[in-house]
């Protein structure tokens, strides 16, 4: 048997480099599978999703979710810790119901075949995760419960 290896080398600086924040707004790239990914909030706090700009908490992330059965969606935490979301043709960022406050987005709950889904956020002071669910045909429940 013959084994071949391909080694790709990067400089230690490149391997240990952290993403650089920019004052320019960053447009999340389109997702290619049923998943979610995170876009770091730049120093300016401004992030665009589906062409809609919002201002978010520095040091947090905007989560871009590729739902299976419904419109893709972005979630972020604003500077006052409220939770916002936007989707294609939403007309802009919308504050989520339930008066939730958080410090970062955490993950998306898998979407069911009927379109049910959820978003999970993290609260630093309690180190707890909270979820709000989407229940078709009613929409987001407006209730935050422990995840």
């Amino acid at each position: 048997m013959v084994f071949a290896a391909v080694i790709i080398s990067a400089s230690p600086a490149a391997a240990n480099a952290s993403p650089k924040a920019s004052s320019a707004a960053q447009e999340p790239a389109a997702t290619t599978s049923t998943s979610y990914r995170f876009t770091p909030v730049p120093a300016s706090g401004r992030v665009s999703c589906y062409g809609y700009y919002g201002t978010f908490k520095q040091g947090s992330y905007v989560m871009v979710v590729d739902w299976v059965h419904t419109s893709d969606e972005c979630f972020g935490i604003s500077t006052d810790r409220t939770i916002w979301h936007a989707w294609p043709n939403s007309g802009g960022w919308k504050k989520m119901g339930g008066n939730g406050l958080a410090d970062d987005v955490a993950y998306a709950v898998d979407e069911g075949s009927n379109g049910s889904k959820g978003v999970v956020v993290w609260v630093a002071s309690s180190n707890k995760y909270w979820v709000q669910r989407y229940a078709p045909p009613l929409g987001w429940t407006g209730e935050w419960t422990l995840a």
Side-chain angles (χ1 to χ4, degrees), residues 68-129:
V68 177
H69 304 288
T70 57
S71 288
D72 296 345
E73 204 163 358
C74 295
F75 297 88
I77 309 300
S78 72
T79 56
D80 66 357
R81 300 182 55 233
T82 54
I83 304 143
W84 292 71
H85 62 142
W87 57 96
N89 302 312
S90 64
W93 286 91
K94 311 290 183 189
K95 184 176 174 182
M96 294 191 74
N99 298 314
L101 298 176
D103 295 292
D104 214 345
V105 290
Y107 59 93
V109 176
D110 286 341
E111 185 176 20
S113 61
N114 68 347
S116 62
K117 55 192 175 186
V119 62
V120 179
V121 296
W122 175 71
V123 177
S125 62
S126 64
N127 195 30
K128 292 192 178 183
Y129 294 86

